[in-house]
Amino acid sequence: MRTTGWIACVAVVVALPAGCSDSGGGEESPGANGGKRTGPSPGAEATPPGTQLEVPALYDTGRGWESTEEGTQLVLPRSGAVAVHGERQGEGGPGEHGFTVLDAATGEKRWSSVPVSPLGNTDLPVIRMTVDGKEYLAAWSSGTTDADAVNRGKEVVALDIFPVDASGEGVRPVHVEVPGEGKVRGGGAGLLVSDGGDTVVAVDPATGDTTEYGVGDQEPPADCPECESSWEVQGLTDNGLLMGTSVDIDYDGFWVPGGWTAADLRPKGADPEASPIAQVIADDLLVVDWGRERTSDAVVWSAVDSASGETLATVRCKGDSTPIDDHLSADGRYLAHGGRVFDLEEGTGVCYERTDSTNPVEFQTVTDEGVAFGYAITSEGFSSAGTPVQLDMRTGKIEEFDDVNTEFPFGDTAGFGLFWDEASNTMVAYPHAS
């Protein structure tokens, strides 16, 4: 392993239905409260926004703010903010992209970025990530630099990384260039650049420092010395890479070299012959599908701290799993994951899957108070349409809304729900009702 820096510039449920619950580690959640808030408290401003939507009773539509800032909204829950990522076409060249970050409690602008452009006529994908409790926005592209009529230039992967706790106008990014071709993904405890070859480069979003890992240099788990013939990098933890295997060998698992293995944290009752699947959520948080129990039809799910291998919460779910989409509450305590909601502080969870007698629920948002919003899917096969429902994790009660047109927030932070009005292309924020 070698470390090199390439930094160009730094700137700044009552009775639970078909689901069932279980206990896990019960330790404090990996979430953080390091974000800042500006402006008045949710109860201080009494001006109703012009956009009025049908929303859950948790929110007070008589107060709030709205914005018609053009672009794509990216909620930043731990920072109490929302970013708008906008694009404008350049003259004769690639389009320019930029970020504007608004305070979720006031709608006031916290900062805006300098424009950044992709290398060549390519897209500029954006990644939101949380590392060590701090949020970042990263845009990346790949292409050739320093090319002219004589020189062919060099292939690089370029990243522009913005800390969400920046301020002011014209915020400049941490600019990182990694030699070679490849793609960038959020690996959990950092950004990962990989071309699918023998090396992977981890990028620290706080500094831009890079660490190159040789995939073949990683230590295999003790119970699978032949894993090096078919292993792959699945993510990044504070203690190194998260490794796993592809399906062409007789070993299904994942591990942190020199740390823990999947066998070390397999829940009681989970079938050791099943093939567990780990999904990186954020920072050092994983969700693991352990497959069916040995003595029942229930599927075992766990939330795991990937750095330590500690199990934070476990739930056993009967029925067919819903499509998986994950949403963390702003304080990191609650995790909505498809038809499951974990309480990472209590080490418990609930699930609402498709069974012979129940319809599945897909949860889309969860608040710091443990209120999760989602849709009960009544048709065969997955559909984005369904009946809106609300689950209160504090009581275990799940309720259906009378109005099927009830709008759910795409984010909830700083005591405000963030909503999108398709008719007027307006983002509107309502505070939690007193």
Side-chain angles (χ1 to χ4, degrees), residues 153-206:
K154 58 181 180 179
E155 291 289 330
V156 300
V157 177
L159 302 91
D160 290 297
I161 307 169
F162 297 89
V164 171
D165 62 1
S167 62
E169 300 287 338
V171 172
R172 303 186 66 81
V174 174
H175 183 78
V176 183
E177 292 185 0
V178 178
E181 300 177 345
K183 294 183 178 181
V184 182
R185 59 189 167 105
L191 292 157
L192 285 174
V193 184
S194 174
D195 62 0
D198 296 332
T199 62
V200 63
V201 176
V203 181
D204 183 339

Side-chain angles (χ1 to χ4, degrees), residues 216-282:
D217 297 335
Q218 304 305 303
E219 179 183 344
D223 57 343
C224 185
E226 73 277 12
C227 275
E228 61 185 39
S229 67
S230 185
W231 57 19
E232 60 186 6
V233 176
Q234 294 189 347
L236 181 69
T237 80
D238 281 340
N239 292 325
L241 295 178
L242 175 68
M243 303 293 296
T245 59
S246 55
V247 297
D248 58 352
I249 66 171
D250 189 23
Y251 182 90
D252 291 304
F254 46 91
W255 69 97
V256 174
W260 54 266
T261 71
D264 297 330
L265 48 95
R266 183 181 292 113
K268 182 180 179 180
D271 187 351
E273 301 300 320
S275 301
I277 301 171
Q279 178 187 355
V280 176
I281 303 299

Side-chain angles (χ1 to χ4, degrees), residues 61-80:
T61 59
R63 298 177 290 141
W65 57 269
E66 60 186 6
S67 171
T68 56
E69 184 92 25
E70 293 186 2
T72 301
Q73 290 69 36
L74 305 165
V75 64
L76 302 164
R78 299 194 191 183
S79 303

Side-chain angles (χ1 to χ4, degrees), residues 206-379:
T207 64
D209 290 342
T210 62
T211 303
E212 183 175 294
Y213 294 90
V215 177
D217 297 335
Q218 304 305 303
E219 179 183 344
D223 57 343
C224 185
E226 73 277 12
C227 275
E228 61 185 39
S229 67
S230 185
W231 57 19
E232 60 186 6
V233 176
Q234 294 189 347
L236 181 69
T237 80
D238 281 340
N239 292 325
L241 295 178
L242 175 68
M243 303 293 296
T245 59
S246 55
V247 297
D248 58 352
I249 66 171
D250 189 23
Y251 182 90
D252 291 304
F254 46 91
W255 69 97
V256 174
W260 54 266
T261 71
D264 297 330
L265 48 95
R266 183 181 292 113
K268 182 180 179 180
D271 187 351
E273 301 300 320
S275 301
I277 301 171
Q279 178 187 355
V280 176
I281 303 299
D283 218 332
D284 280 319
L285 181 62
L286 302 176
V287 169
V288 182
D289 173 0
W290 293 99
R292 302 283 176 184
E293 285 191 302
R294 286 174 296 183
T295 58
S296 78
D297 291 333
V299 175
V300 186
W301 297 83
S302 292
V304 172
D305 184 313
S306 62
S308 65
E310 177 189 2
T311 296
L312 302 172
T314 300
V315 65
R316 287 162 168 81
C317 304
K318 293 184 178 180
D320 298 326
S321 298
T322 58
I324 297 172
D325 195 12
D326 56 270
H327 306 272
L328 266 171
S329 62
D331 63 2
R333 174 173 176 174
Y334 298 99
L335 170 63
H337 185 261
R340 297 152 293 282
V341 182
F342 295 94
D343 184 335
L344 303 180
E345 184 175 296
E346 294 294 326
T348 60
V350 298
C351 42
Y352 296 86
E353 312 285 26
R354 184 186 301 279
T355 70
D356 291 340
S357 59
T358 61
N359 291 314
V361 177
E362 184 185 9
F363 293 103
Q364 298 190 343
T365 311
V366 61
T367 73
D368 289 348
E369 297 80 10
V371 178
F373 301 112
Y375 291 92
I377 310 302
T378 56
S379 60

Side-chain angles (χ1 to χ4, degrees), residues 22 41 87 103 113 115 199 250 275 368 390:
D22 200 354
S41 66
E87 177 183 1
D103 189 287
S113 74
T199 62
D250 189 23
S275 301
D368 289 348
Q390 171 181 298

